[in-house]
Amino acid sequence: MAAHRRRRPWELPESAVTDEAVYLSRRRFLRALGLGGLTAGGLAVGGRGLLDGAWAQDEPLPPLAAPRSEAHADAGRPLTPEPLPYRYNNFYEFTTDKERVWRLARGFRLDPYALEVDGLVERPGALALEDVEALGLEERVYRFRCVEAWAMTVPWVGVPLRKVLEKVGVRPEANYVAFTSFLDPKQAPGQRGGGYRWPYYEALRLDEAMHDLTLVATGIYGKRLPPQCGAPLRLVVPWKYGFKGAKSVVRIEVTRARPRCFWNDLHPDEYSWSSNVEPDVPHPRWSQATERLLGSGDRVPTLPYNGYGEQVARLYAT
Ligand code: MTE
């Protein structure tokens, strides 16, 4: 993602910003992720030892079982091996360094947690996590595509956002749905400076929010979300670039006017408001034609709407 005008860490050679030992271990780690330029073998050899050892230090995650949705049991490519989505994250509230998010987010808790749902709804109020999950948890395997041209395939555990909105009753004059992430600089070092306008905020059109593919997820791989993946609840919109999926969401507001969005506000020339996955529309710094899969490191073509065109293209027919 783009930061402000500051020079960005990923624009420097890694060797210029880290000492050699760290640099070498990062190289091995990136190779395990399939991002280090060595694609042959990928995770198979070096990766496994690395991830079972020093990198596999998460607190055990509580199980969160849910029936797998038949319609979303298979995303057309192999699942990303489980530890990887916990070790390579974008969560700027903690750090802009993807490989360090998990360490800095360790112990992060929103406790007590409530999801505020308000705005143009009939029954505004606070939902406990259990209230959301009681709407019918299911497991869905989705492709995930970051605008930085890396991608993964993960089994989310969640509830269609539509069910949450139906529970509170959307009023007829509503057009949009806004999402606000947590604000807690005590727990999140990235919120104590850095020049970003916290909390993170995102939004969808109402028809996008009501689409069956749009999930609020509270789990991943049959377990509760780890902090670095957006615990306790995040948005997942598989046909849009990953930054549309706000993590650790505490408020959903239904609005008439179009809400603002974090990255679109910062760089409207780089991040459009709707940010559907569009391989033919290059980003100034990343071609969007292909993507690198976490794990295998394979580079594969990016599909329009991230492969979900059959389900969503009608939303954008003019
Ligand atoms: N949500 C919050 N609150 N803060 C963030 O920095 N980053 C976004 C999105 N949601 C972000 C966020 C981006 S750029 C991406 S690609 C995904 O989260 C990354 O999700 P992951 O780390 O679980 O893969």
Side-chain angles (χ1 to χ4, degrees):
M1 302 297 299
H4 299 282
R5 307 293 165 222
R6 283 179 286 126
R7 191 162 185 194
R8 293 169 277 266
W10 53 90
E11 291 171 342
L12 298 171
E14 283 165 279
S15 53
V17 291
T18 53
D19 68 38
E20 196 182 7
V22 176
Y23 171 68
L24 290 174
S25 79
R26 287 183 70 181
R27 296 296 305 166
R28 285 203 306 274
F29 179 57
L30 289 174
R31 211 180 306 147
L33 291 169
L35 295 168
L38 295 180
T39 56
L43 181 70
V45 187
R48 185 141 318 133
L50 191 61
L51 292 163
D52 289 345
W55 295 96
Q57 291 170 354
D58 266 320
E59 290 165 28
L61 299 167
L64 186 66
R68 184 170 283 192
S69 152
E70 296 241 330
H72 304 287
D74 180 359
R77 65 188 190 200
L79 278 189
T80 303
E82 185 180 355
L84 298 181
Y86 308 160
R87 291 293 177 274
Y88 192 77
N89 301 98
N90 274 327
F91 208 170
Y92 275 34
E93 286 87 336
F94 293 90
T95 170
T96 57
D97 180 344
K98 299 186 207 324
E99 296 154 54
R100 288 181 61 227
V101 172
W102 72 276
R103 283 180 196 276
L104 292 170
R106 244 184 194 167
F108 167 64
R109 298 269 179 286
L110 294 178
D111 188 16
Y113 175 77
L115 176 66
E116 208 62 55
V117 188
D118 60 8
L120 298 176
V121 298
E122 306 294 351
R123 295 171 292 282
L127 301 178
L129 210 55
E130 305 82 71
D131 300 333
V132 176
E133 293 177 342
L135 297 171
L137 277 182
E138 46 183 292
E139 183 176 68
R140 295 186 178 193
V141 179
Y142 280 172
R143 291 183 290 275
F144 178 99
R145 173 62 156 78
C146 177
V147 72
E148 296 161 339
W150 55 269
M152 58 185 183
T153 312
V154 293
W156 300 107
V157 179
V159 171
L161 173 62
R162 186 192 69 247
K163 293 192 179 178
V164 177
L165 295 173
E166 284 170 354
K167 182 176 168 66
V168 294
V170 173
R171 303 221 320 240
E173 62 272 33
N175 296 317
Y176 296 93
V177 182
F179 306 87
T180 310
S181 295
F182 78 102
L183 181 66
D184 187 352
K186 282 205 186 96
Q187 292 199 71
Q191 290 184 334
R192 301 200 284 264
Y196 293 102
R197 205 171 78 185
W198 304 112
Y200 195 91
Y201 48 101
E202 256 304 336
L204 296 173
R205 293 183 345 202
L206 181 61
D207 58 349
E208 297 173 330
M210 295 296 276
H211 194 281
D212 181 64
L213 284 174
T214 305
L215 286 189
V216 286
T218 59
I220 185 169
Y221 295 101
K223 299 169 191 140
R224 291 212 167 270
L225 288 175
Q228 64 270 34
C229 293
L233 180 147
R234 73 177 289 168
L235 183 68
V236 180
V237 195
W239 72 94
K240 292 179 179 280
Y241 291 118
F243 64 86
K244 294 295 287 182
K247 294 159 89 163
S248 305
V249 171
V250 296
R251 182 178 179 207
I252 295 179
E253 183 190 10
V254 179
T255 68
R256 185 198 290 265
R258 195 173 86 157
R260 305 175 69 135
C261 299
F262 186 90
W263 285 107
N264 179 244
D265 271 354
L266 281 170
H267 294 289
D269 48 327
E270 296 193 13
Y271 309 106
S272 72
W273 192 91
S274 55
S275 282
N276 295 322
V277 174
E278 288 183 279
D280 296 340
V281 181
H283 181 278
R285 276 175 293 121
W286 304 285
S287 157
Q288 300 299 355
T290 62
E291 61 204 43
R292 181 71 68 95
L293 300 179
L294 286 195
S296 70
D298 292 346
R299 187 165 279 285
V300 299
T302 290
L303 302 173
Y305 302 110
N306 201 22
Y308 295 97
E310 216 172 286
Q311 293 98 312
V312 302
R314 66 178 168 76
L315 296 180
Y316 309 101
T318 45

